[in-house]
Amino acid sequence: MVDRYEPRAIEEKWQRRWEADRIYAAVDFDQRPKWYALTMFPYPSGDLHTGHWYAMAPSDAHARFRRMQGYNVLFPMGFDAFGLPAENAAIKRGIDPKEWTYANIERMRKQLRMMGASFDWDREIVTCDPEYYKWTQWWFLQFYKHGLAYRARALANWCPGCQTVLANEQVIDGRCERSDDIVERRFLTQWFFRITAYAEELLKFDGIDWPERIKVMQRNWIGRSEGAYLDFPVDVPGVEEKIRVFTTRPDTVYGATFVVLAPEHDLVPKVTTPEQRAVVEEYQRQASRETEIERMSTEREKTGVFTGAYAINPFNGRRIPIWIADYVLVTYGTGAIMAVPAHDQRDFEFAAKYGLDIIPVFDHPEIDVTKPLERAFEHGTRMINSGPFDGTPAEDAIRAVVEYAEREGIGQRAVTYRLRDWLISRQRYWGAPIPIVYCDACGTVPVPEDQLPVLLPEKVQFLPTGQSPLTMIPEWVNTSCPQCGGPARRETDTMDTFICSSWYQMRYIDPHNAERPFSPALAEYWLPVDQYTGGAEHAVMHLLYTRFFWKAARDMGLVKGDEPMLRLFNQGVILGPDGNRMSKSRGNVVAPDEQVEQYGADAFRCQLMFIGPWELGGPYNPTGMQGIVRWLRRVWSLALEPPQLVDAPDAPETLALRRAMHKTIRVVTDDMEHFRFNTLIARHMEFCSELQRVRERGQADRDAWNEAVETMLLLIAPLAPHITEELWERLGKPYSIHLQRWPSYDPDLAKDEEVEVVVQVNGKVRGHLRLAPDAPEEVARTRALELERVRAALDGGTPRRVIYVPGKLVNFVV
């Protein structure tokens, strides 16, 4: 009688053994080809949730697959441990942020080990540990030395009740989450990283395999625009300044009938007339209470106030009014625009509301431009009402106007970016202190590298005002100047936590180096990351920041190559059984620990990989576990309860079994390469069914059966590491299954008859596939969803149902 499959006993046994034997420890400078696999590290919130498992278990399976392929795999793990939640816990529960964070880390370590992942724990990093943030501060100093870190005025969220700056997360519906006061936008002096210096290079993705949607999101965020700067002199006595605007349409400058400044623009108080000052200042106060998202909304009515002042259009000498309006942002462009209501609908609506002139400067074959316009039109055929440019064809207009502006010294061609420099200052305690001191004699002075780290004080007191405790610790704030030795004050802002995660992949290669952030020789060997996995929600923050950080490090001579991660795969979002995001308020949270306790880690891993294409995500329903558990029990039974074994190498049944095995190796290998975990599990189930049919016949060729069972275990090992290790040992095989070579296949035996399958969306043909006649629906569905025309037709929607006729048709109904 074969022992029953008892997952928890087996899993705990092998987790202890693997850790004791350090079988997943990467070997520096090994002769095998290296493979650096990295999945985004978690914030230590206290518990691993199903989303963590959904991101990490498939990433672990792929890393295990690469190890079995003969690579020297580095697959590290750590904790992104600084951040606001620890401060909130300190304030609400009276717990020290450090104690709260490290207690959570200890709990999450145990849960991560329960997953059975092949992390190299020798290389663990914790970003709030001085051993780590010493080097985060070192990076700040390098950026400062190279002109990439600077201090400037910037808008911030200000709570008048708490008398402090708030992070965006602390502003709820325009009010402070602590005091409920209306939050204002104020200028404060803060620290920035000059990411805009790399804007043009960040638009390029040469030599890396990243999802197209991430590239599009980053390009849109960077927002490259070609156009021109034009200068409008201010017509105010005693003010000799000019209003510089950037426009992508310099060819419409003769239609500029007013200019608009952002309410926060430096020129506003200088040009506002006494008669308009009260109304202008009230409008500024109102605008300071609105978020940029609210101000830029296309659905809200545009408002503004006349300053009482005028500017001169430098092209025709016309005197045009200067307005302020909240839809112009001081953080975008120059904080000023020239308004051309005839050719911009937003300007048209504003001009119509306030009775401002609307002058078309292009003709149009379908619009009578001699009559009042009913709405703006963007493009025309030839320039009109444009002085010497009248009659210029539209295709030549921009070039002609810009050349004139440059000759006359009233403008110049330019490229601008929507991307702003990275504001890294945070007015909070739980972050890496910025290593700067301020001396009355020497000014801004960087802390010398040999004095790092600037340690956070411990056991601090959090007051209900919300102010950072750092500002209220005189013995910490007051220090001596590193240059002159006189009295100085520490910078009390800490760094944005995204800095910690912008370079963490570099530290993993040499995490305990006390002399430098990492060894150049190890960087040469391990970097860049070969495969990165994580959520697409980080597209325009972490994934953009880490590319910037790498390029800056390259230019400092610290790393080689242009990109930090060669391949990127984004998993989708795991949802609750009801199809909504998991949340306690909805009552749809599935706790991983409970699933593991009931079914085992292997089953939970495999069920998460089986619910659908990994990049799409989907609802997780525990009721689906029964199918996975039955499959794993069948694997257990097949390995330990063979049929009668005979010598029949030439029997037709033996050849059929070998063909099935080699086809399975081929398909599973391809699916593993491309993260198609759901379809490869379907293939495994098919192969198990084939083995079951062989067993039911009562006998099988000894060599063919043993090879098939061993292959089955090797192919399943990355997905379900514990059960396969246990069965491998029981079969008398050498330890460990995870150190064995991945099976190879014979192309002749692995050949599969394929037929052409039509792919439709709502009955319309959108493509064709070559599939095996009996391909499972899951395989056909996944392959069909990879077709570009199918994705375009679905337009992000989810099929209501799928009609599948094997060997003939896949039809998505939406």
Side-chain angles (χ1 to χ4, degrees), residues 372-437:
L373 297 177
E374 296 180 1
R375 62 178 292 108
F377 64 94
E378 193 170 346
H379 298 287
T381 55
R382 291 182 178 275
M383 294 180 73
I384 62 173
N385 299 325
S386 298
F389 298 99
D390 284 353
T392 302
E395 58 270 22
D396 300 327
I398 290 178
R399 176 185 54 78
V401 171
V402 172
E403 288 177 353
Y404 175 84
E406 291 182 328
R407 282 198 309 271
E408 298 297 317
I410 55 177
Q412 63 189 72
R413 68 186 73 242
V415 173
T416 66
Y417 303 90
R418 179 178 176 270
L419 180 69
R420 301 293 91 196
D421 278 339
W422 178 6
L423 195 162
I424 67 156
S425 291
R426 295 295 181 269
Q427 291 75 31
R428 57 176 83 136
Y429 163 72
W430 193 235
I434 294 176
I436 291 288
V437 300

Side-chain angles (χ1 to χ4, degrees), residues 222-239:
I222 295 166
R224 187 182 193 273
S225 298
E226 293 186 7
Y229 287 124
L230 302 177
D231 296 323
F232 289 70
V234 173
D235 188 21
V236 174
V239 179

Side-chain angles (χ1 to χ4, degrees), residues 169-289:
E169 301 95 326
Q170 296 171 299
V171 181
I172 309 298
D173 296 327
R175 291 179 177 271
C176 173
E177 68 172 358
R178 296 190 185 109
S179 68
D180 204 39
D181 285 299
I182 294 175
V183 174
E184 301 173 359
R185 300 277 283 168
R186 287 192 182 181
F187 276 103
L188 294 174
T189 301
Q190 303 189 77
W191 284 95
F192 292 82
F193 277 175
R194 206 181 301 276
I195 190 174
T196 53
Y198 289 85
E200 190 67 30
E201 188 180 353
L202 288 167
L203 291 167
K204 302 171 185 174
F205 296 85
D206 300 338
I208 59 174
D209 181 11
W210 280 35
E212 188 60 31
R213 64 172 176 162
I214 300 296
K215 297 178 186 177
V216 169
M217 290 168 75
Q218 289 200 2
R219 287 183 179 127
N220 289 342
W221 187 259
I222 295 166
R224 187 182 193 273
S225 298
E226 293 186 7
Y229 287 124
L230 302 177
D231 296 323
F232 289 70
V234 173
D235 188 21
V236 174
V239 179
E240 300 297 326
E241 298 185 51
K242 296 177 181 179
I243 298 173
R244 168 158 282 201
V245 304
F246 173 80
T247 176
T248 59
R249 294 293 308 278
D251 54 335
T252 64
V253 66
Y254 283 86
T257 58
F258 57 104
V259 292
V260 185
L261 303 178
E264 304 87 358
H265 198 289
D266 288 340
L267 275 177
V268 173
K270 297 178 183 179
V271 303
T272 301
T273 62
E275 296 80 8
Q276 291 294 103
R277 190 165 302 281
V279 67
V280 165
E281 290 178 350
E282 176 56 30
Y283 188 85
Q284 288 177 309
R285 279 191 290 273
Q286 291 176 9
S288 74
R289 296 169 184 157

